[in-house]
Amino acid sequence: MGLAASRYLTARSIDHVVLERGQIANSWRRERWDSLRLLTPNCQSRLPGYQYEGPDPDGYMTMREVIEFISCFALLSSAPVRTHTTVTCVKRTDAGYEVTTTNGNLRCRTLIVASGACNVPSVPSLSQAVPQSVQCFTPFTYRNPNDLPEGGVLIVGASATGVQLADEVVRSGRPVMLSVGEHVRLPRTYRGRDVLWWMDASGVWAQRYDEIDDLTRVRRLPSPQLIGTPDHTTLDLSALSAAGVELVGRLAAVRDGQALFSGGLRNQFALADLKMNRLLGTFDEWARAHARDAEVGPPERLEPTREPAAARLKLDLRNGEIRSIVWATGFRPDYSWLDVPVIDDKGQLRHDGGVVDAPGLYALGLPVLRRRKSTFICGAADDARELVDHLAGYLATRAKVRS
Ligand SMILES: Cc1cc2nc3c(=O)[nH]c(=O)nc-3n(C[C@H](O)[C@H](O)[C@H](O)COP(=O)(O)OP(=O)(O)OC[C@H]3O[C@@H](n4cnc5c(N)ncnc54)[C@H](O)[C@@H]3O)c2cc1C
């Protein structure tokens, strides 16, 4: 996101620098498991003035390809990036902000926080009660199934990360139990097109934050159950169940060495099926209203998620059945370096569409920041352009006040 902003700042001749603690595309290099591919198709790898132009627009990039894609964008846009420069503190001054880094200090009038929404895996505090004999992993420490001890694996969380890891780990021959809470079910393809093509084409992804009724809830929605594979597989809970993954309810507590799961699995399935069908209905309406029906296949509906015959409510974590737990329970941003009073009691930045609650301070890359697609690569351009417009207006107003 920082590189997208840089592109627009350059276009407006606004002097700037992009600070990066690692190398370009650092998160994709250091914070992803080995087999991960993007879940967005190649045709949606779009940054300002730059997009995927290879032979497979419907394919999904490997991490190596993502790193190459982003690095090429940085090079082509001559982004002024200072790599291996960690921002350790940002404070307000009369004129703007003072930025302390591991590579010297800077002063700036405006600052864009584009440090990412997924800096730290979010692990629930109940994890502290897990017995020592069970090894715990997060998506940052898990690289591939060989990292896990032999034996059963409990994966907590059934969003994109959880379902992808459950699929990979069960294929490695280990028994896998997947704890399922609220989730977003989507088929990989719908009416012959990638489901994310529909999100894009129908305008659902472009829906603006100020048009969404329950913005706080929508900003907290989990990522969709999707995987990017060469054969465009749908990876839903029925598929995982068929592959041998044992589904259990939401992990509610760990007490006296026992993991306790909620009994609401059937409701979670029904809710996810209902929401998915509602979304598919929106796509159908859009295709009809825009005379696109002839371009795509006929409307389809998926089978309801298959319920396991009996879901366990309790699991003894001490008896050796489960040797490791992977916490696929989401991510959160890290603002420990931001010494400006703009963080709420949930650890989130206070902002209105990326305009942070402090003069000249902006944010990019947060969930539904300005649009539903704001955290995706294809969401960077629109958000960055609009926020750089705002930033330029802010600088111009300040210049007028000073003269
Ligand atoms: C597992 C996973 C899979 C994903 N899959 C997809 C996908 O398929 N398609 C898609 O479009 N999106 C996907 N995303 C979302 C993806 O993170 C965003 O699309 C994109 O990377 C967000 O860009 P960003 O610049 O906001 O954050 P990041 O890519 O995280 O970049 C932030 C940068 O800031 C740097 N940084 C952080 N703190 C500091 C500091 N204090 N000082 C200096 N530098 C700092 C980091 O090193 C990092 O390079 C996925 C995310 C995750 C976690």
Side-chain angles (χ1 to χ4, degrees), residues 1 20-21 26-28 38-40 87 114-116 375-377:
M1 300 286 168
E20 169 52 60
R21 63 182 167 189
N26 192 51
S27 317
W28 301 107
L38 289 188
L39 51 76
T40 42
V87 174
S115 48
T375 31
F376 291 93
I377 293 169

Side-chain angles (χ1 to χ4, degrees), residues 209-228:
Y209 76 108
D210 44 11
E211 293 167 353
I212 295 173
D213 286 339
D214 193 355
L215 184 59
T216 309
R217 189 189 59 82
V218 173
R219 281 185 168 154
R220 287 201 201 123
L221 279 180
S223 56
Q225 288 172 336
L226 285 176
I227 186 169

Side-chain angles (χ1 to χ4, degrees), residues 95 109 395 397-403:
R109 274 172 298 181
L395 288 177
T397 313
R398 277 183 47 123
K400 237 185 252 162
V401 171
R402 278 206 310 274
S403 63

Side-chain angles (χ1 to χ4, degrees), residues 41 43-44 58 188 190 193-203 205 283 286 292 295-296:
C43 57
Q44 289 178 353
D58 297 325
R188 180 70 268 184
Y190 180 62
R193 294 288 183 101
D194 194 289
V195 75
L196 298 182
W197 175 87
W198 285 96
M199 293 291 277
D200 204 19
S202 66
W205 252 2
F283 296 158
W286 169 82
R292 304 288 290 264
E295 267 177 55
V296 290

Side-chain angles (χ1 to χ4, degrees), residues 101-273:
T101 85
T102 49
N103 221 349
N105 296 355
L106 295 126
R107 281 170 175 266
C108 53
R109 274 172 298 181
T110 59
L111 187 120
I112 302 178
V113 178
S115 48
C118 303
N119 305 121
V120 194
S122 258
V123 177
S125 54
L126 55 77
S127 64
Q128 285 163 12
V130 169
Q132 296 273 318
S133 55
V134 177
Q135 222 177 315
C136 285
F137 293 81
T138 70
F140 278 18
T141 55
Y142 169 93
R143 282 287 169 277
N144 57 62
N146 296 332
D147 290 344
L148 304 174
E150 285 303 326
V153 184
L154 168 64
I155 298 180
V156 184
S159 295
T161 301
V163 296
Q164 292 185 24
L165 298 190
D167 180 53
E168 170 165 290
V169 176
V170 82
R171 282 167 195 273
S172 76
R174 289 169 175 77
V176 173
M177 186 180 275
L178 178 64
S179 164
V180 180
E182 186 191 356
H183 58 276
V184 178
R185 181 184 179 200
L186 284 183
R188 180 70 268 184
T189 53
Y190 180 62
R191 300 179 67 180
R193 294 288 183 101
D194 194 289
V195 75
L196 298 182
W197 175 87
W198 285 96
M199 293 291 277
D200 204 19
S202 66
V204 171
W205 252 2
Q207 191 185 14
R208 290 177 54 93
Y209 76 108
D210 44 11
E211 293 167 353
I212 295 173
D213 286 339
D214 193 355
L215 184 59
T216 309
R217 189 189 59 82
V218 173
R219 281 185 168 154
R220 287 201 201 123
L221 279 180
S223 56
Q225 288 172 336
L226 285 176
I227 186 169
T229 59
D231 51 1
H232 305 264
T233 322
T234 290
L235 186 62
D236 57 17
L237 296 175
S238 300
L240 285 173
S241 229
V245 171
E246 179 180 348
L247 304 179
V248 288
R250 187 171 191 281
L251 180 59
V254 178
R255 210 173 292 140
D256 302 328
Q258 304 275 333
L260 307 177
F261 303 105
S262 112
L265 205 51
R266 177 190 295 189
N267 290 346
Q268 298 287 7
F269 288 180
L271 195 64
D273 290 350

